[in-house]
Amino acid sequence: MLRRRVSSLLASSIGNSASIHNKPSSILAPLSSLQSPSHYAQCTSPKSDRSWAFGSQSIRAYSLLSLNDLRDNKGARKQKTRKGRGIGSGKGKTAGRGHKGQKARGTMKFGFEGGQTPLRRRMPKRGFKNPFSLTFQPVGLGKIAKLINAGKIDSSELITMKTLKEVGAIGKQIRDGVRLMGRGSEDIKWPIHLEVSRVTVRAKEAVEAAGGSVRRVYYNELGFRALLKPEWFEKKGRLLPRAARPPPKQKDKVDSIGRLPAPTKPIPFSLEEKEAMSAASA
């Protein structure tokens, strides 16, 4: 029985293959129609603009790349591990931290090295920061002379630190005041009167030789704000503060207390002040 079934199956398969080879025209008909351009005719279907008719058959044409076929490479996108979402995920309960211990609990402060001496304490200290240091913005006599020649500064009036800031002789940030330098002192050929925080010996000699004067005045941080931006106090509805006295360490480095609001006329030096200035210079 088994042999008869196997033989019948072989005979039927051989017969089918012979019938295919004996009738090539029925199979190759669509292929021949594809090769002949005379059979091409665009379908009139409104749903598709890429359907073509080949003889009695219609075939839809597809491009090699289309927008709906775009995909990321395998492994390009990796989902974020969701911790603490049940034991079935493998990262539940302890969320991959294990049981107890320092690493299973909260984070440590920055620089903590497990109890040993941290690096910031192992390294030696270098230098120090002086809390009493002062930072002055320098301005030379040559720059002031150029601004006077350009007509930005009136030499007949008192030149204060506010005047220097408004004409751009110094920067916007005045921390502890302005230091008058002797650069370009040969350009000063007329008397000028200035009020600054510090002055060098060369600059002072050049200004006094031309018939002018330089007064060293003291302003604290609030005093500088009242001197440079008095409109800030008006906007806040506050009165201008009183001028502050210099600290003991700066008493011998200034001539007087700064005046508020910004003065317009210089104060002549008294005889006592002139004697003190001459003694200090000697």
Side-chain angles (χ1 to χ4, degrees):
M1 292 295 291
L2 182 59
R3 289 181 180 181
R4 290 179 182 178
R5 290 182 180 179
V6 172
S7 60
S8 62
L9 290 174
L10 290 173
S12 61
S13 62
I14 292 172
N16 293 334
S17 62
S19 62
I20 292 173
H21 289 290
N22 291 335
K23 299 178 181 180
S25 59
S26 61
I27 298 175
L28 299 178
L31 298 178
S32 62
S33 63
L34 286 174
Q35 296 176 359
S36 58
S38 61
H39 293 278
Y40 291 179
Q42 188 172 4
C43 290
T44 58
S45 175
K47 296 183 179 179
S48 175
D49 57 347
R50 291 190 178 184
S51 297
W52 301 85
F54 304 98
S56 60
Q57 300 179 1
S58 63
I59 300 176
R60 181 178 175 85
Y62 289 94
S63 62
L64 297 178
L65 182 64
S66 57
L67 293 178
N68 60 334
D69 291 336
L70 292 178
R71 299 288 186 275
D72 288 326
N73 294 332
K74 189 176 182 180
R77 290 176 176 267
K78 186 177 179 181
Q79 292 185 352
K80 181 182 178 181
T81 303
R82 301 177 71 241
K83 298 180 180 180
R85 294 298 182 271
I87 59 176
S89 63
K91 295 291 183 180
K93 190 184 175 183
T94 56
R97 290 194 173 198
H99 290 276
K100 300 183 180 180
Q102 191 176 29
K103 294 183 179 180
R105 296 185 171 91
T107 57
M108 288 73 72
K109 66 178 181 179
F110 179 76
F112 183 70
E113 299 181 11
Q116 68 180 15
T117 305
L119 181 64
R120 60 181 176 82
R121 295 184 61 188
R122 294 199 302 267
M123 299 299 293
K125 294 182 179 180
R126 291 289 184 269
F128 72 102
K129 184 177 180 180
N130 186 6
F132 303 104
S133 63
L134 302 176
T135 304
F136 300 100
Q137 283 205 24
V139 58
L141 289 174
K143 182 180 288 188
I144 296 175
K146 289 181 180 179
L147 293 172
I148 292 174
N149 294 330
K152 295 183 178 180
I153 297 179
D154 188 1
S155 60
S156 61
E157 295 183 357
L158 178 65
I159 301 174
T160 62
M161 289 179 279
K162 181 181 181 182
T163 308
L164 297 175
K165 179 179 178 297
E166 289 176 350
V167 299
I170 55 178
K172 295 181 180 180
Q173 299 294 334
I174 302 178
R175 292 188 58 183
D176 298 312
V178 178
R179 185 191 299 274
L180 184 63
M181 311 294 290
R183 294 192 296 265
S185 58
E186 62 276 1
D187 298 334
I188 300 296
K189 299 177 182 179
W190 51 87
I192 57 175
H193 303 277
L194 301 100
E195 281 192 0
V196 291
S197 302
R198 298 289 188 274
V199 58
T200 61
V201 176
R202 179 186 172 187
K204 186 174 182 180
E205 291 177 353
V207 172
E208 291 179 350
S213 63
V214 181
R215 179 178 287 273
R216 300 173 299 175
V217 293
Y218 172 78
Y219 289 99
N220 59 357
E221 184 177 356
L222 188 62
F224 271 119
R225 177 178 291 184
L227 174 70
L228 303 175
K229 295 182 179 180
E231 63 276 2
W232 184 85
F233 293 88
E234 297 179 3
K235 183 179 179 181
K236 297 289 185 180
R238 298 168 56 181
L239 299 175
L240 288 178
R242 297 179 60 183
R245 296 181 180 180
K249 289 187 176 182
Q250 298 188 36
K251 279 186 177 181
D252 57 340
K253 296 181 181 179
V254 297
D255 298 323
S256 62
I257 302 173
R259 293 177 288 170
L260 293 174
T264 57
K265 295 182 179 180
I267 300 176
F269 288 97
S270 62
L271 295 176
E272 297 178 356
E273 291 177 345
K274 290 182 178 179
E275 291 177 358
M277 289 166 57
S278 60
S281 59

